[in-house]
Amino acid sequence: MPDGRTAGSSRAFELLEPLVRAATVRVHAPRGGYDNPGNDWSGPTWGSGFFIAPGWVLTCAHVVGEGGAAMRLAGREIGITFQAGPDGTAGTVAGRVECVLPERLEERRPGRRALWDLPDLALVRVLAPVSHACVWLTDRPGPRLEEAAYFGCTEELGIREITGRTTRLRGIAANGAAIRLGDDDEIEAGMSGGPVVDLARGEVVGVVKARRPGGGGGLAVSVAQLRTLPLAATGQTGLYRRVMQAHDLYHYDRHLSDLDSRRTWTDVHEELAAADRSGYGGRPAYGGRVRLTPGERTTLCGLLAELPPPGSSEAVRDLAEQARGEEPDSALPAPLSWRDGLGLLHDAPGAGGEAAAMLRYATGVSVADHREPPAPGADDELWDWVRSTAERLWRPLRRELGELRDQGLAERERRRRTHTGQGARGRGRGAGGLPTGPSVLLEVWAHGWEDVYDWRVSVLAGPARPERVTPVAAGVRVAPAALPEALRAPLAEGFRRCDTHEAAALLEVAVQPELFGLPVDEWTVSGGVPVGVQRPVVLRHPDGAGGPAAAGRWARVQAGPLLDQRADCARGRPRSPSPGWLAGLAGNTVPVLCRAAAAEPTLGALHSVRDVGYGVLVGRRPPPGPEVSCAPFHRGLREELAGAGRGAVLPLRFQALRGRAHGADPDAYWAAGLALVWDDPARALPEDEPLQGDL
């Protein structure tokens, strides 16, 4: 151990080292065939990795990218050498790269010796059933700056082996995606992809990424970046949730098993907690603060993993907020699993502190509307454990949790009666239309004197809580061509927070009419599929639809039948509609604007339509050339509006139209650049002033 380590960290390293080394692997070129239990230490080392769940290895993307610059990363087969037995014997197996982060690495791979884009992670699936150890991953969304150790494959003294060195976490970078490692020791090349362990808490917090040129220390990637794994398709469980569920069940099973006398991670956590003596398992007065014991934490994570995953990230955040008594930090990565919700409850304020908050949270989960029926008795088993644990701690807490449980059961039954056939937590589609839950809001402002934009991404809680706005990210002075890349990560984070297993959340784009031509629906955020194909996308006037007739017109359009009306052209020739003419149209009319959104007379028509009170109108971006006839657009749109019958279904029907056009359906070519203005009075926009760039 280097000088300067405390006695506590020295003991922690001694306890944790065997567990971490047993789960750390060497990554190298694959051998021929999968069934090869022998020890393959031949050939160059590409880097390191570590098992995070049975059959799953986490490493860096640049590690699996070694030795094949022209080869695709996802789907590539690699060799993995790991500790196959308690005696330290090694085995080798093939693995397949399931995905890399960020996804765009496939198209924008860095040059040789260049630093790969964050988060620079790869998830590898083992291609043969093997017995191996797994690390314990932190549930905290961000690391504490504590003493730590990092592990990986080294060749010191000519011996190729897994070793560890100690250091201190010195800070974070890239908005928390990266962790700075101190220069207490040197990071060798083969250690890339290895685990970084918080010695105070005995949990893996990062993945070794890079070393500083000419000195010690370097960078690691926060394991919380695993939450940015590609979003799951509707109705499917995402890869992140599946892997973390397997992680928690592995440690739960090991904790309960009496068949093996070797130390488990939970055993070591118990020893670390005994040395720490900072509230683990204590029984202070109800107003005091105490933590669950490591055994209780492992059991709770296992019981939560026995349940179906949450229907949405917002469901987890809501329960964590209720349990903690305050809103979680909105800058943290979206919690995607029940386990992630526990990570939001550390050091909770209020009566009982962290332990009480986690038991309140578990009580909420036990009465939640799950995305699918849980295994028989799984939710009751969770509640029985919560009740018995609360009794061991404080009797008043047991009474409080019993009341929460009764209220939750009654509320769940009421939701099921009221929202029969709808999704998780009653957030289905309103009358066959848009999801009634949270939506993502993108606001963009143009600088009038130069061609740059300010932007902001937020989460709107939905019509049930119109005053709730949660910021995600913001930026200033971005060039038009750079907007899609600047907004890729913030939009992805917003979608992770709002999407449910049943439906992709609505994206609302609030811009002035001059920016209605912004091709947001054509941008790609995840999976290479345009946003407008993955989810409904609508435009909003920042000030909403004006005029005293707005509410009446909105209601008429929602009820249908729909009438289309050309607003800015007459048989292909541009015209400027007068406010009086627009006001005289029937209340169930949908104005159609086929000209370029930023050009006159359409720009004036957009303002006039809004002032008269039309909350729903249809437009399109400029066609490839001015000579292109608008007749196919109007003809196709008339049929689409007639088929829709009412306004409530238009956002979803337009999403389907974009999907057909993206899939090269010749009958949908007319829909290219289609835009829907949707000023729903139930979805209030924030009243904050626009961002201001540098003066």
Side-chain angles (χ1 to χ4, degrees):
M1 300 288 291
D3 293 338
R5 298 299 101 195
T6 65
S9 65
S10 298
R11 177 57 177 162
F13 185 90
E14 179 183 342
L15 292 170
L16 290 164
E17 182 184 29
L19 298 177
V20 183
R21 290 179 66 248
T24 305
V25 306
R26 171 179 171 257
V27 178
H28 50 85
R31 294 180 65 180
Y34 303 142
D35 299 324
N36 184 8
N39 182 354
D40 178 19
W41 289 97
S42 62
T45 296
W46 291 356
S48 304
F50 52 100
F51 282 104
I52 60 173
W56 290 98
V57 171
L58 180 63
T59 183
C60 284
H62 76 264
V63 170
V64 301
E66 286 287 336
M71 186 180 298
R72 280 190 61 84
L73 298 174
R76 185 181 190 186
E77 291 191 8
I78 63 174
I80 296 172
T81 297
F82 64 102
Q83 183 173 312
D87 57 353
T89 58
T92 297
V93 69
R96 181 176 60 237
V97 180
E98 288 295 308
C99 64
V100 296
L101 296 174
E103 292 179 89
R104 62 180 181 271
L105 284 175
E106 294 287 7
E107 289 73 35
R108 292 177 42 185
R109 204 174 307 184
R112 186 169 177 79
R113 299 188 182 279
L115 200 64
W116 286 46
D117 291 347
L118 287 166
D120 187 15
L121 294 177
L123 199 57
V124 181
R125 185 198 295 268
V126 171
L127 298 179
V130 294
S131 177
H132 59 80
C134 298
V135 303
W136 176 278
L137 293 178
T138 183
D139 58 12
R140 297 173 184 266
R144 294 289 187 91
L145 301 183
E146 300 278 0
E147 293 176 338
Y150 53 92
F151 293 78
C153 183
T154 64
E155 298 188 32
E156 289 184 298
L157 306 177
I159 302 174
R160 187 177 283 164
E161 59 181 343
I162 303 298
T163 64
R165 288 94 183 270
T166 58
T167 186
R168 179 176 285 275
L169 305 183
R170 298 296 185 183
I172 60 174
N175 295 319
I179 307 169
R180 298 189 183 278
L181 303 179
D183 58 357
D184 303 69
D185 208 334
E186 183 179 359
I187 300 175
E188 296 189 34
M191 302 183 85
S192 291
V196 178
V197 186
D198 179 342
L199 292 177
R201 292 167 182 79
E203 53 192 25
V204 172
V205 298
V207 185
V208 177
K209 171 178 169 61
R211 57 180 176 176
R212 292 192 185 91
L219 284 179
V221 182
S222 170
V223 295
Q225 292 301 302
L226 276 174
R227 302 184 193 181
T228 65
L229 284 168
L231 302 172
T234 301
Q236 297 180 5
T237 300
L239 183 57
Y240 172 79
R241 286 169 171 158
R242 286 193 286 122
V243 171
M244 293 310 301
Q245 187 176 42
H247 168 278
D248 287 337
L249 291 176
Y250 167 85
H251 289 287
Y252 181 46
D253 293 342
R254 291 269 291 138
H255 176 56
L256 295 181
S257 175
D258 294 327
L259 302 178
D260 195 337
S261 61
R262 287 175 296 172
R263 273 197 180 107
T264 67
W265 282 81
T266 306
D267 295 333
V268 171
H269 290 165
E270 295 279 9
E271 295 192 44
L272 294 177
D276 182 32
R277 296 179 181 175
S278 59
Y280 283 103
R283 297 176 181 81
Y286 185 43
R289 297 189 178 187
V290 68
R291 302 173 187 170
L292 296 178
T293 67
E296 290 168 344
R297 283 289 310 281
T298 300
T299 300
L300 177 54
C301 288
L303 293 174
L304 292 175
E306 296 276 15
L307 297 172
S312 70
S313 173
E314 282 296 288
V316 179
R317 285 181 60 89
D318 287 349
L319 287 179
E321 179 178 349
Q322 294 168 20
R324 188 177 177 93
E326 61 184 10
E327 185 179 356
D329 187 352
S330 62
L332 301 176
L336 302 180
S337 67
W338 296 126
R339 181 186 205 265
D340 294 342
L342 295 178
L344 299 175
L345 302 176
H346 291 289
D347 305 318
E354 180 180 300
M358 289 185 175
L359 293 179
R360 293 186 190 104
Y361 173 79
T363 302
V365 175
S366 73
V367 295
D369 280 310
H370 299 293
R371 54 182 297 169
E372 59 195 36
D379 47 357
D380 290 333
E381 184 179 3
L382 173 62
W383 165 243
D384 290 342
W385 178 87
V386 168
R387 183 172 54 185
S388 63
T389 304
E391 183 175 6
R392 180 187 67 76
L393 294 174
W394 314 282
R395 287 184 58 198
L397 178 61
R398 184 184 64 173
R399 184 170 58 251
E400 175 195 347
L401 296 179
E403 294 172 354
L404 288 176
R405 166 85 171 177
D406 292 341
Q407 294 170 6
L409 289 173
E411 177 64 17
R412 184 173 69 180
E413 184 60 29
R414 186 195 65 79
R415 287 196 304 265
R416 290 178 176 177
R417 288 197 307 266
T418 305
H419 303 284
T420 301
Q422 291 192 4
R425 307 184 72 245
R427 290 180 178 176
R429 300 191 186 281
L434 288 171
T436 57
S439 62
V440 179
L441 173 67
L442 168 62
E443 300 169 276
V444 181
W445 301 277
H447 285 259
W449 59 93
E450 53 185 326
D451 195 19
V452 292
Y453 299 96
D454 298 344
W455 59 267
R456 179 168 59 198
V457 176
S458 310
V459 169
L460 302 182
R465 292 185 293 177
E467 75 289 346
R468 176 77 173 267
V469 180
T470 306
V472 175
V476 296
R477 302 182 61 80
V478 179
L483 268 178
E485 186 61 28
L487 285 162
R488 181 193 296 266
L491 287 176
E493 175 65 16
F495 298 153
R496 275 190 292 274
R497 296 186 185 186
C498 297
D499 287 351
T500 71
H501 74 284
E502 290 186 324
L506 171 71
L507 173 60
E508 304 184 70
V509 183
V511 292
Q512 293 294 337
E514 292 83 354
L515 297 180
F516 274 10
L518 204 63
V520 177
D521 57 283
E522 295 182 354
W523 296 350
T524 58
V525 170
S526 177
V529 180
V531 169
V533 176
Q534 293 181 329
R535 65 190 61 252
V537 178
V538 299
L539 296 170
R540 300 286 305 269
H541 288 91
D543 302 322
R553 290 188 181 278
W554 176 265
R556 288 289 306 276
V557 169
Q558 299 310 304
L562 301 178
L563 301 177
D564 70 293
Q565 178 63 59
R566 301 188 184 193
D568 65 339
C569 83
R571 297 187 178 276
R573 296 182 179 276
R575 69 173 178 184
S576 298
S578 68
W581 177 79
L582 288 169
L585 298 177
N588 56 335
T589 299
V590 177
V592 179
L593 297 94
C594 67
R595 318 301 296 179
E600 294 291 353
T602 296
L603 192 55
L606 282 169
H607 287 285
S608 297
V609 168
R610 174 197 170 279
D611 293 341
V612 170
Y614 286 94
V616 179
L617 61 138
V618 180
R620 67 169 181 169
R621 288 189 293 275
E627 72 284 353
V628 177
S629 172
C630 63
F633 172 73
H634 289 287
R635 190 179 302 115
L637 188 58
R638 183 179 302 114
E639 295 177 0
E640 184 66 23
L641 294 178
R646 57 197 179 93
V649 299
L650 286 182
L652 293 173
R653 288 185 70 103
F654 280 23
Q655 178 191 354
L657 264 177
R658 295 187 186 102
R660 289 170 52 196
H662 179 69
D665 181 351
D667 293 332
Y669 286 166
W670 62 269
L674 189 68
L676 175 65
V677 178
W678 188 261
D679 279 316
D680 185 349
R683 295 181 178 271
L685 295 178
E687 299 180 356
D688 296 346
E689 291 295 322
L691 300 174
Q692 297 296 323
D694 298 333
L695 299 179

